[in-house]
Amino acid sequence: MNKTIAFISQKGGVGKSTLARAVACDAFKSGLSVKLADLDIQQGTVTEWHRQRLNNGYEPVGSVELFSKASLAVEAAGNHDLLIIDGAPRASSGTLDTAQQADLIILPTCASRDDLVPAIKLAYELENKGVQRNKIALALVRVSTEAEIADARDYIGQSGFTVLTGCLYEKPAYRQAQNDGLSVTETRYKSLNNKANELLESILTHLISE
Ligand SMILES: Nc1ncnc2c1ncn2[C@@H]1O[C@H](COP(=O)(O)OP(=O)(O)OP(=O)(O)O)[C@@H](O)[C@H]1O
Ligand SMILES: [Mg+2]
């Protein structure tokens, strides 16, 4: 396996770095060699999180590095099984470059129309610029109720883009875990870890099928 997965969005704060960290964590634990590329050169969220992780004595998630462009991350990834790209906070000219480098592009979105509309718009923009539709998948994050999940799935469904099974609920325990250098699958609560794992498994399954 030599695959690249990218997390991008038009809006900031939708959960790119959260999912990128969790995928890196799960893939590393399942024995893959992982490179986690941090394209957020201003905030360095993932890089800082990894420093915190090692500082607290937890095992690494592979090699984590800052890059100014996705293509440089791909060059540096060499023989890693999995390259995970955490995109810049907002869509920019680099977003298309990032998408073009990836086998699977995940657009995380919350369930509000405020977030769904720009996520679907970005999916259409990528498609219009030549990115294959089947490489794009939306992931529901920071959701609260079954009703809003169903509503969001329905709304995305109308666009015809894929929405992944599973979702990430809005929980302070997920924030707390990440504060400590852990991923959303490594909280103190088994049920929350299991819930998060449903979405992560769906991401990895989707990647393997690409
Ligand atoms: N399921 C969740 N429950 C609670 N808090 C969450 C959840 N998912 C993400 N967060 C928090 O929301 C904030 C934004 O998440 P994250 O940093 O992953 O988004 P991002 O898309 O990478 O943001 P940016 O565009 O700034 O890079 C962070 O403080 C994160 O800890
Ligand atoms: Mg981020």
Side-chain angles (χ1 to χ4, degrees), residues 90-151:
R90 279 175 199 82
S92 64
S93 55
T95 305
L96 180 63
D97 172 55
T98 304
Q100 283 167 337
Q101 306 293 333
D103 299 293
L104 178 63
I105 302 143
I106 305 283
L107 311 183
T109 174
C110 308
S112 67
R113 291 285 193 277
D114 291 349
D115 289 340
L116 286 168
V117 169
I120 293 170
K121 187 165 163 257
L122 178 58
Y124 277 120
E125 277 170 15
L126 294 175
E127 189 181 32
N128 288 339
K129 287 179 178 154
V131 176
Q132 284 169 28
R133 178 174 268 254
N134 60 4
K135 287 189 174 182
I136 303 170
L138 282 84
L140 289 174
V141 297
R142 310 195 68 167
V143 293
S144 292
T145 66
E146 294 306 318
E148 75 167 355
I149 294 166
D151 185 57

Side-chain angles (χ1 to χ4, degrees), residues 13 15-18 21 38 40 43 45-46 86-89:
K16 298 179 295 294
S17 302
T18 294
R21 288 177 271 198
D38 188 350
D40 185 353
Q43 301 178 97
T45 306
V46 156
D86 180 26

Side-chain angles (χ1 to χ4, degrees), residues 37-42 65-74 85-88 92-95 97-98:
D38 188 350
L39 256 54
D40 185 353
I41 48 175
Q42 277 185 325
E65 201 176 332
L66 270 172
F67 292 95
S68 57
K69 287 204 311 199
S71 44
L72 296 174
V74 171
I85 302 178
D86 180 26
S92 64
S93 55
T95 305
D97 172 55
T98 304

Side-chain angles (χ1 to χ4, degrees), residues 48-78:
E48 175 54 27
W49 169 82
H50 200 238
R51 195 192 62 73
Q52 187 69 22
R53 184 175 177 90
L54 300 186
N55 191 39
N56 287 344
Y58 302 117
E59 65 168 1
V61 295
S63 88
V64 183
E65 201 176 332
L66 270 172
F67 292 95
S68 57
K69 287 204 311 199
S71 44
L72 296 174
V74 171
E75 271 173 39

